[in-house]
Amino acid sequence: MKLSIVLPVFNEEEILEASCEEFSQNFNEIVGVNNWQFVFSENGSSDNSPLIINKLLNIYTNSICLNFDKSDYGRALKEGIAASQGESILIMNVDHLWDSNFFNWAWDNRIAYDLILGSKRSDPTLNQQDGYRKLLSSGLNILLQYLFDSVVADTHGTKLLKASVIKPISNECVMRRGQFDTELTLRVLRGQCWIAEIPIPYLEKRKARNFMFKKILQNVIDIFILKRVMKEVKYKGTLYYRRFCSEDLK
């Protein structure tokens, strides 16, 4: 298996089937039919998402589904990575836009880099979040730079991982919810792994469903928990990190 696509699913009945159809057409063309699989992490949905996933498993027969009783985005990603069978692992959300520039470049360079980050913040002209969400994202990344010496512009969002390198690092992660992504990225940065960060357009297919005040409070608490966790994870040496611009992808 060349590629596993980890898709956390929580109440996505409105867009799940159409998104998977769009994604699958691109994977068939670029990766090859029968060379990839969806890894659905069904994250405690209360709508018809589980029924739709069962239908999709009959269409994409290499694919698998993990079922969780309670919504936990970080656990869904971690368990999805562990269950993946592909040599490369793509983390993306059901509501992400498909971006051919990102995936074509990432797929062509998957041997050279252990982690390829699709960053909505590295090119502000491509980020169509509203001003409030941009401000929150900027605040989070300022905290990460100050507390963890992070050099990346964005720790969340689409990622292409080299399974043989990243799976052991993912297994060491202890954070859940929204900061699993952050912990994984920080551990990779500190582990002498090759990292590329490339711009990716961002446009929400649906409105955010989280209550912002609650989300902000939880993220602040989790960041300071992560600070304690990362005390034991030191830089091993030289930082292997490169950031590319949109023109580099053409």
Side-chain angles (χ1 to χ4, degrees):
M1 185 75 64
K2 291 184 178 180
L3 176 68
S4 296
I5 304 98
V6 177
L7 281 178
V9 177
F10 178 69
N11 292 343
E12 301 287 5
E13 64 178 2
E14 294 181 1
I15 61 174
L16 179 56
E17 192 167 358
S19 293
C20 287
E21 182 178 356
E22 179 189 11
F23 298 158
S24 68
Q25 290 173 358
N26 287 284
F27 296 137
N28 282 338
E29 180 180 345
I30 300 168
V31 182
V33 178
N34 295 324
N35 286 329
W36 60 271
Q37 63 173 174
F38 287 125
V39 179
F40 297 104
S41 285
E42 208 304 296
N43 212 10
S45 296
S46 58
D47 65 359
N48 289 319
S49 293
L51 296 177
I52 296 172
I53 290 175
N54 286 336
K55 176 182 176 181
L56 294 174
L57 291 175
N58 290 324
I59 299 172
Y60 311 113
T61 53
N62 288 329
S63 299
I64 60 175
C65 180
L66 310 176
N67 293 284
F68 306 106
D69 294 333
K70 185 178 179 181
S71 176
D72 186 330
Y73 183 75
R75 181 187 179 191
L77 290 184
K78 182 174 181 177
E79 298 292 340
I81 290 170
S84 295
Q85 300 166 12
E87 298 169 4
S88 297
I89 301 170
L90 182 68
I91 292 177
M92 63 187 305
N93 291 339
V94 176
D95 64 333
H96 281 171
L97 290 176
W98 176 262
D99 181 54
S100 294
N101 285 338
F102 167 80
F103 188 76
N104 287 333
W105 190 94
W107 190 247
D108 289 343
N109 290 274
R110 68 190 186 279
I111 304 302
Y113 295 98
D114 302 310
L115 169 61
I116 300 176
L117 291 167
S119 173
K120 63 182 177 294
R121 298 188 67 250
S122 62
D123 185 347
T125 66
L126 300 177
N127 186 358
Q128 298 186 48
Q129 284 181 307
D130 61 49
Y132 179 60
R133 290 178 66 84
K134 285 182 180 179
L135 180 63
L136 294 179
S137 184
S138 295
L140 172 62
N141 282 277
I142 289 170
L143 266 179
L144 296 180
Q145 292 167 12
Y146 177 74
L147 294 175
F148 303 99
D149 298 317
S150 174
V151 296
V152 300
D154 194 4
T155 60
H156 289 72
T158 304
K159 298 176 180 66
L160 186 68
L161 318 173
K162 187 181 293 182
S164 60
V165 175
I166 304 301
K167 271 191 171 185
I169 298 175
S170 175
N171 288 338
E172 295 176 356
C173 292
V174 299
M175 298 301 296
R176 294 294 185 267
R177 296 184 294 269
Q179 295 310 322
F180 170 84
D181 261 341
T182 300
E183 182 185 0
L184 178 64
T185 303
L186 292 174
R187 284 181 180 271
V188 174
L189 280 168
R190 297 185 180 191
Q192 287 189 308
C193 301
W194 280 99
I195 301 172
E197 184 169 16
I198 63 178
I200 192 169
Y202 188 85
L203 175 65
E204 293 171 339
K205 292 182 181 177
R206 50 164 169 71
K207 293 183 179 180
R209 296 175 298 192
N210 293 321
F211 181 49
M212 274 300 159
F213 178 77
K214 181 179 179 181
K215 183 177 181 180
I216 293 168
L217 180 61
Q218 187 63 63
N219 278 336
V220 170
I221 293 171
D222 286 348
I223 286 294
F224 284 96
I225 294 172
L226 181 59
K227 178 66 175 175
R228 294 201 301 269
V229 170
M230 293 302 295
K231 281 184 178 180
E232 306 301 320
V233 186
K234 308 299 182 183
Y235 278 101
K236 291 184 178 179
T238 305
L239 187 67
Y240 300 107
Y241 166 77
R242 293 176 181 170
R243 185 181 295 179
F244 296 87
C245 69
S246 297
E247 292 299 316
D248 294 321
L249 310 186
K250 298 179 180 179

